[in-house]
Amino acid sequence: MQLTEAILQALQTVWSHKLRSFFTLLGIIVSVAFLIAVVAVIQGMNAYVRERLAGAIVGVNAFQIRRDPIQVGFIDDEAWSRIQRRPIIAPEDVPYVERAIPDAQAIALQSGWPTPTADVAWRNRTIGDAFVFGVTAPYQIVQDYRLAAGDPLTDLDVRERRLVAVLGFDVAEKLFDDAARAVDQRVRVRGWTFTIKGVIAKKGTVLGQSWDGFVMLPLTTFEALYGRRQTTVISVKMPAAEQVAEAMLRAEEAMRIAHRLRPGQDNDFTVDTAEGLISFWQSLRMSVTERTREIGIRKSLGATRRAIRRQFLAESVTLSLVGGVLGLAAGMALAGLVAAATPLPARVTGWSVGVALGLGLTVGVLFGVYPATRAARLDPIAALRAE
């Protein structure tokens, strides 16, 4: 039988058994669609965290010099105590960094954490809990701010401690209904009156958090209003991503000179990108291949390949059974919902339960044990080097 004839006969068979073919296709379609959807969500979240969240906090092609690291998650008491003993990052540190990185696109200083909030009032309107922070003029370049109206803060505003402000889009829109109307108006913050120079174009939300609800002041004006915060943050923006790593090394050397650290002494500052946020997200993704280092430790202590495979088999079977039971419960609940809400009958049969649990167990064991078997064949030193 020729290939063309075989294909035509297959199509004819499918067409003559429409119902059977439909349910066969339905299973394939659902499985493939679910797999694609899951992978798409994971890849999309990877890009979202790296581009939106990291970029919003630190800036694109940028890094920060901070007293405390950007870290999401638990910090033990001893590490936190060491961080609290560090000196502040001060304006006096900025010239050292500027001399070390003359090719930087922008080097800025911004008020430290925690960022205060305040009511912003205009006439009889008030916006509550707007973030208020102080910056030097290059910070607007670091964050890639675009203006929806008016002008940005300038070095002269900072030097002369001018009572001027730039508003985030949400604050301007809620107070004036139209962002363009905000320019040259006067608002009150903590009893002080500020003239609005400009409005930052809308950045939107990241993980449900708006990035447009702020009042940005010249750093010197901010310190007159709130006093100097516990520390400040130096932000450095490079022209291209590939220049960031080398610039961070130069910044580290400059800060060690500024803080008069001797060779061998630990840094009393942190040169950081948003990798802490990205690493936190990546740690949430479950993958057996991430346990290669653990396997290396076990092998170096004498564990055999058989013992490692047995351990992962037990874990995979346990997880698969738990997942299968939970999936079974969800499926039965959905079937009951369909029967109650529609005229369609829904009946859970023994063979469907068996097939579902068997499939879940097979897939779980396959994708749990296979990566572990591959890692178990590695040389212990190579496995220990894995991250």
mmCIF file of all heavy atoms in Angstrom, residues 90 92-97 99 251-261 268-269:
data_model
loop_
_atom_site.group_PDB
_atom_site.id
_atom_site.type_symbol
_atom_site.label_atom_id
_atom_site.label_comp_id
_atom_site.label_asym_id
_atom_site.label_seq_id
_atom_site.Cartn_x
_atom_site.Cartn_y
_atom_site.Cartn_z
ATOM 1 N N ALA A 90 26.826 56.435 51.301
ATOM 2 C CA ALA A 90 26.674 57.882 51.450
ATOM 3 C C ALA A 90 26.954 58.601 50.137
ATOM 4 O O ALA A 90 27.590 58.044 49.230
ATOM 5 C CB ALA A 90 27.629 58.387 52.531
ATOM 6 N N GLU A 92 29.118 60.682 49.606
ATOM 7 C CA GLU A 92 30.570 60.789 49.437
ATOM 8 C C GLU A 92 31.158 59.603 48.666
ATOM 9 O O GLU A 92 32.287 59.684 48.156
ATOM 10 C CB GLU A 92 31.253 60.887 50.804
ATOM 11 C CG GLU A 92 30.979 62.172 51.555
ATOM 12 C CD GLU A 92 29.575 62.242 52.154
ATOM 13 O OE1 GLU A 92 28.965 61.159 52.365
ATOM 14 O OE2 GLU A 92 29.078 63.364 52.391
ATOM 15 N N ASP A 93 30.402 58.504 48.571
ATOM 16 C CA ASP A 93 30.882 57.332 47.830
ATOM 17 C C ASP A 93 30.715 57.493 46.318
ATOM 18 O O ASP A 93 31.397 56.820 45.538
ATOM 19 C CB ASP A 93 30.117 56.075 48.275
ATOM 20 C CG ASP A 93 30.390 55.710 49.721
ATOM 21 O OD1 ASP A 93 31.532 55.907 50.170
ATOM 22 O OD2 ASP A 93 29.461 55.224 50.395
ATOM 23 N N VAL A 94 29.817 58.371 45.903
ATOM 24 C CA VAL A 94 29.489 58.482 44.487
ATOM 25 C C VAL A 94 30.681 58.884 43.619
ATOM 26 O O VAL A 94 30.904 58.292 42.551
ATOM 27 C CB VAL A 94 28.308 59.453 44.282
ATOM 28 C CG1 VAL A 94 28.042 59.668 42.789
ATOM 29 C CG2 VAL A 94 27.053 58.921 44.961
ATOM 30 N N PRO A 95 31.508 59.887 44.017
ATOM 31 C CA PRO A 95 32.641 60.246 43.151
ATOM 32 C C PRO A 95 33.603 59.095 42.884
ATOM 33 O O PRO A 95 34.174 59.010 41.789
ATOM 34 C CB PRO A 95 33.325 61.368 43.945
ATOM 35 C CG PRO A 95 32.242 61.962 44.782
ATOM 36 C CD PRO A 95 31.387 60.797 45.157
ATOM 37 N N TYR A 96 33.792 58.210 43.864
ATOM 38 C CA TYR A 96 34.663 57.054 43.653
ATOM 39 C C TYR A 96 34.110 56.171 42.528
ATOM 40 O O TYR A 96 34.855 55.682 41.672
ATOM 41 C CB TYR A 96 34.787 56.240 44.939
ATOM 42 C CG TYR A 96 35.596 56.911 46.026
ATOM 43 C CD1 TYR A 96 35.006 57.783 46.929
ATOM 44 C CD2 TYR A 96 36.965 56.669 46.153
ATOM 45 C CE1 TYR A 96 35.742 58.402 47.933
ATOM 46 C CE2 TYR A 96 37.710 57.273 47.157
ATOM 47 C CZ TYR A 96 37.095 58.143 48.040
ATOM 48 O OH TYR A 96 37.828 58.745 49.030
ATOM 49 N N VAL A 97 32.806 55.958 42.564
ATOM 50 C CA VAL A 97 32.171 55.119 41.545
ATOM 51 C C VAL A 97 32.209 55.810 40.184
ATOM 52 O O VAL A 97 32.460 55.180 39.155
ATOM 53 C CB VAL A 97 30.714 54.790 41.951
ATOM 54 C CG1 VAL A 97 30.029 53.964 40.866
ATOM 55 C CG2 VAL A 97 30.684 54.055 43.280
ATOM 56 N N ARG A 99 34.451 57.893 39.038
ATOM 57 C CA ARG A 99 35.793 57.820 38.467
ATOM 58 C C ARG A 99 36.111 56.413 37.949
ATOM 59 O O ARG A 99 36.830 56.245 36.960
ATOM 60 C CB ARG A 99 36.831 58.233 39.501
ATOM 61 C CG ARG A 99 36.860 59.733 39.787
ATOM 62 C CD ARG A 99 38.093 60.127 40.562
ATOM 63 N NE ARG A 99 38.091 59.568 41.911
ATOM 64 C CZ ARG A 99 37.572 60.178 42.979
ATOM 65 N NH1 ARG A 99 37.002 61.373 42.838
ATOM 66 N NH2 ARG A 99 37.623 59.621 44.163
ATOM 67 N N ALA A 251 33.066 48.838 40.137
ATOM 68 C CA ALA A 251 32.350 49.503 41.227
ATOM 69 C C ALA A 251 32.747 48.913 42.576
ATOM 70 O O ALA A 251 32.904 49.646 43.572
ATOM 71 C CB ALA A 251 30.843 49.380 41.017
ATOM 72 N N GLU A 252 32.898 47.596 42.623
ATOM 73 C CA GLU A 252 33.308 46.943 43.874
ATOM 74 C C GLU A 252 34.679 47.431 44.319
ATOM 75 O O GLU A 252 34.896 47.746 45.499
ATOM 76 C CB GLU A 252 33.322 45.429 43.682
ATOM 77 C CG GLU A 252 33.733 44.657 44.929
ATOM 78 C CD GLU A 252 33.756 43.162 44.708
ATOM 79 O OE1 GLU A 252 33.550 42.722 43.553
ATOM 80 O OE2 GLU A 252 33.992 42.425 45.673
ATOM 81 N N GLU A 253 35.616 47.502 43.374
ATOM 82 C CA GLU A 253 36.958 47.982 43.716
ATOM 83 C C GLU A 253 36.917 49.425 44.198
ATOM 84 O O GLU A 253 37.576 49.795 45.175
ATOM 85 C CB GLU A 253 37.853 47.859 42.483
ATOM 86 C CG GLU A 253 39.291 48.270 42.731
ATOM 87 C CD GLU A 253 40.160 48.112 41.497
ATOM 88 O OE1 GLU A 253 39.669 47.576 40.485
ATOM 89 O OE2 GLU A 253 41.336 48.517 41.542
ATOM 90 N N ALA A 254 36.104 50.271 43.537
ATOM 91 C CA ALA A 254 35.992 51.671 43.932
ATOM 92 C C ALA A 254 35.408 51.809 45.337
ATOM 93 O O ALA A 254 35.867 52.639 46.141
ATOM 94 C CB ALA A 254 35.123 52.420 42.924
ATOM 95 N N MET A 255 34.409 51.001 45.655
ATOM 96 C CA MET A 255 33.794 51.082 46.978
ATOM 97 C C MET A 255 34.735 50.573 48.065
ATOM 98 O O MET A 255 34.722 51.084 49.195
ATOM 99 C CB MET A 255 32.489 50.285 46.983
ATOM 100 C CG MET A 255 31.351 50.923 46.207
ATOM 101 S SD MET A 255 30.833 52.512 46.893
ATOM 102 C CE MET A 255 30.237 52.017 48.510
ATOM 103 N N ARG A 256 35.552 49.591 47.770
ATOM 104 C CA ARG A 256 36.527 49.125 48.759
ATOM 105 C C ARG A 256 37.540 50.231 49.067
ATOM 106 O O ARG A 256 37.954 50.402 50.221
ATOM 107 C CB ARG A 256 37.245 47.873 48.246
ATOM 108 C CG ARG A 256 36.362 46.628 48.214
ATOM 109 C CD ARG A 256 37.153 45.392 47.827
ATOM 110 N NE ARG A 256 38.179 45.085 48.826
ATOM 111 C CZ ARG A 256 37.970 44.375 49.924
ATOM 112 N NH1 ARG A 256 36.757 43.888 50.174
ATOM 113 N NH2 ARG A 256 38.949 44.145 50.777
ATOM 114 N N ILE A 257 37.912 50.978 48.032
ATOM 115 C CA ILE A 257 38.811 52.116 48.259
ATOM 116 C C ILE A 257 38.103 53.193 49.069
ATOM 117 O O ILE A 257 38.672 53.759 50.017
ATOM 118 C CB ILE A 257 39.310 52.676 46.913
ATOM 119 C CG1 ILE A 257 40.171 51.638 46.193
ATOM 120 C CG2 ILE A 257 40.076 53.970 47.116
ATOM 121 C CD1 ILE A 257 40.542 52.022 44.767
ATOM 122 N N ALA A 258 36.863 53.489 48.711
ATOM 123 C CA ALA A 258 36.108 54.531 49.426
ATOM 124 C C ALA A 258 35.917 54.186 50.888
ATOM 125 O O ALA A 258 35.957 55.067 51.762
ATOM 126 C CB ALA A 258 34.750 54.734 48.749
ATOM 127 N N HIS A 259 35.721 52.909 51.199
ATOM 128 C CA HIS A 259 35.497 52.471 52.582
ATOM 129 C C HIS A 259 36.774 52.019 53.272
ATOM 130 O O HIS A 259 36.719 51.487 54.379
ATOM 131 C CB HIS A 259 34.458 51.350 52.599
ATOM 132 C CG HIS A 259 33.068 51.823 52.335
ATOM 133 N ND1 HIS A 259 31.945 51.083 52.626
ATOM 134 C CD2 HIS A 259 32.593 52.981 51.790
ATOM 135 C CE1 HIS A 259 30.856 51.761 52.286
ATOM 136 N NE2 HIS A 259 31.228 52.903 51.764
ATOM 137 N N ARG A 260 37.911 52.213 52.590
ATOM 138 C CA ARG A 260 39.237 51.922 53.167
ATOM 139 C C ARG A 260 39.333 50.485 53.693
ATOM 140 O O ARG A 260 39.781 50.237 54.817
ATOM 141 C CB ARG A 260 39.568 52.910 54.281
ATOM 142 C CG ARG A 260 39.694 54.348 53.788
ATOM 143 C CD ARG A 260 39.961 55.320 54.919
ATOM 144 N NE ARG A 260 40.272 56.633 54.414
ATOM 145 C CZ ARG A 260 39.353 57.542 54.055
ATOM 146 N NH1 ARG A 260 38.063 57.223 54.146
ATOM 147 N NH2 ARG A 260 39.714 58.723 53.607
ATOM 148 N N LEU A 261 38.907 49.551 52.878
ATOM 149 C CA LEU A 261 38.973 48.146 53.268
ATOM 150 C C LEU A 261 40.339 47.573 52.883
ATOM 151 O O LEU A 261 40.837 47.800 51.778
ATOM 152 C CB LEU A 261 37.865 47.356 52.576
ATOM 153 C CG LEU A 261 36.434 47.738 52.961
ATOM 154 C CD1 LEU A 261 35.425 46.958 52.134
ATOM 155 C CD2 LEU A 261 36.190 47.500 54.442
ATOM 156 N N ASP A 268 31.825 45.605 52.947
ATOM 157 C CA ASP A 268 30.787 46.098 53.858
ATOM 158 C C ASP A 268 29.682 46.795 53.062
ATOM 159 O O ASP A 268 29.063 47.750 53.517
ATOM 160 C CB ASP A 268 31.381 47.032 54.918
ATOM 161 C CG ASP A 268 32.134 48.213 54.309
ATOM 162 O OD1 ASP A 268 32.104 48.367 53.061
ATOM 163 O OD2 ASP A 268 32.744 48.983 55.072
ATOM 164 N N PHE A 269 29.455 46.308 51.873
ATOM 165 C CA PHE A 269 28.433 46.814 50.964
ATOM 166 C C PHE A 269 28.088 45.672 50.023
ATOM 167 O O PHE A 269 28.732 44.610 50.033
ATOM 168 C CB PHE A 269 28.957 48.017 50.158
ATOM 169 C CG PHE A 269 30.211 47.706 49.392
ATOM 170 C CD1 PHE A 269 30.164 47.213 48.092
ATOM 171 C CD2 PHE A 269 31.463 47.863 49.979
ATOM 172 C CE1 PHE A 269 31.313 46.893 47.389
ATOM 173 C CE2 PHE A 269 32.624 47.549 49.284
ATOM 174 C CZ PHE A 269 32.550 47.060 47.990
#
